[in-house]
Amino acid sequence: MDLRKELGNKIDLFEKHGLVNELEDMFKNPELIELDIEDLKEVLNGEITGTIFKTITDLNENFEYTKFNDLTPNQCVIKISSSTNLKLTDIDLLISNIKESISPNLNIIFGVGIDDSLKDSFKIQAIFSYKE
């Protein structure tokens, strides 16, 4: 996928922060719940406020995100990847914790991927934005 073609100048901010590989990785692994480029475009129509690209082992972790500005995000696209042992309750808990940590008013679009190399870990990839 050519992200520059798909996203236009919106990719510049990701290049500036060295996050293009992480952005491309959101669309690589096999998915249980598909996340597509249109979902990403929907969130990127707003002012990009920050990202989370990390691997965790604690489902109850409080999430901090890399902020790009002082706006409070109200929408995000999240991809959660884990091994085939991933449970719906794990996904629900992770999304709830992200929402609680970032903003209770987040509109969330999410996808779920399988990556057996993660074993008992969870890879969180999230992009946050503010849209009036």
Side-chain angles (χ1 to χ4, degrees):
M1 171 184 315
D2 181 356
L3 287 178
R4 169 70 61 191
K5 181 180 173 187
E6 293 285 345
L7 303 177
N9 66 351
K10 289 287 187 176
I11 201 165
D12 293 345
L13 187 60
F14 294 94
E15 287 175 341
K16 177 182 174 184
H17 292 279
L19 297 172
V20 173
N21 288 340
E22 285 83 352
L23 187 61
E24 289 173 340
D25 188 51
M26 289 179 80
F27 300 96
K28 284 186 181 175
N29 292 332
E31 298 188 48
L32 292 173
I33 301 173
E34 187 170 326
L35 184 65
D36 65 27
I37 196 69
E38 295 305 316
D39 296 325
L40 179 59
K41 286 180 181 177
E42 176 65 29
V43 170
L44 295 182
N45 280 332
E47 177 78 24
I48 301 168
T49 61
T51 61
I52 297 174
F53 291 106
K54 68 188 297 184
T55 301
I56 64 164
T57 55
D58 181 3
L59 289 173
N60 294 305
E61 181 171 332
N62 287 327
F63 289 93
E64 293 183 19
Y65 70 111
T66 302
K67 291 184 178 185
F68 296 156
N69 56 44
D70 290 329
L71 293 171
T72 300
N74 59 10
Q75 58 182 7
C76 71
V77 60
I78 298 173
K79 182 172 180 187
I80 299 169
S81 299
S82 189
S83 69
T84 53
N85 295 328
L86 183 65
K87 301 178 193 120
L88 286 174
T89 54
D90 298 338
I91 297 166
D92 184 53
L93 182 58
L94 285 167
I95 289 176
S96 295
N97 288 346
I98 290 170
K99 194 170 188 174
E100 184 178 307
S101 297
I102 307 300
S103 172
N105 298 319
L106 275 177
N107 178 31
I108 297 174
I109 300 169
F110 74 96
V112 178
I114 298 297
D115 183 347
D116 283 325
S117 71
L118 291 169
K119 300 189 188 218
D120 293 329
S121 300
F122 301 87
K123 183 186 239 180
I124 309 298
Q125 299 162 293
I127 300 167
F128 301 91
S129 69
Y130 172 80
K131 188 175 181 181
E132 289 188 31

